[in-house]
Amino acid sequence: MAVTSESTTVWRGDLTSGSGTTTLDSSGAASLAVNWRARSEGAESVTTPEELLGAAHASCYSMAFAAALARSGHAPESLQTTAAVTFDPAHGITGSHLLVSAVVPGIDEAEFQRIADDAKSGCPVSKALAGIPITLEASLA
């Protein structure tokens, strides 16, 4: 069964002086401020499309990696995934870097790295981001 998730952004003003609010409609979990300055220069307390994309990528990868480990007979104690999504105002989104630290009892380094890489390729958000480079740095804690 397919599930559709919705978010809405209301924007007021032009690109550089305007601002907006993005609401996570399906869950009701958050309403977040957005603006161009945060996106192009960085800012605290204001999110960006890239930060939201990073959240989607990190959570999706964690789920894909946990599933792949389980299929291989390994139950992770914990996975911590950070997705760093880079935006260049002149070129758009230029990449996503996944940084993973995992506690997985009984797995050797080679198998861990193979499964981590397979999960990167199999993650639905990674597939949706096929037009940009996706890099992975995975370590056993």
Side-chain angles (χ1 to χ4, degrees):
M1 173 175 77
V3 175
T4 300
S5 297
E6 294 183 4
S7 297
T8 299
T9 297
V10 175
W11 187 269
R12 301 199 190 289
D14 66 15
L15 174 62
T16 57
S17 64
S19 63
T21 302
T22 297
T23 304
L24 307 181
D25 298 335
S26 298
S27 66
S31 183
L32 307 161
V34 293
N35 66 41
W36 176 251
R37 182 172 176 232
R39 188 174 194 192
S40 62
E41 300 173 23
E44 293 182 18
S45 304
V46 179
T47 195
T48 65
E50 291 71 34
E51 184 178 35
L52 296 169
L53 187 58
H57 203 188
S59 59
C60 183
Y61 178 81
S62 292
M63 291 179 200
F65 194 18
L69 285 164
R71 281 191 303 274
S72 296
H74 301 284
E77 285 183 14
S78 68
L79 300 173
Q80 178 177 314
T81 305
T82 300
V85 177
T86 303
F87 174 75
D88 178 335
H91 301 286
I93 296 172
T94 58
S96 183
H97 179 71
L98 296 167
L99 179 61
V100 183
S101 177
V103 177
V104 186
I107 194 169
D108 68 48
E109 183 69 28
E111 184 176 15
F112 173 79
Q113 291 298 330
R114 180 190 59 75
I115 295 169
D117 195 53
D118 288 349
K120 179 185 83 163
S121 302
C123 165
V125 172
S126 291
K127 290 178 180 180
L129 297 176
I132 64 169
I134 298 171
T135 54
L136 172 66
E137 194 176 340
S139 64
L140 278 168

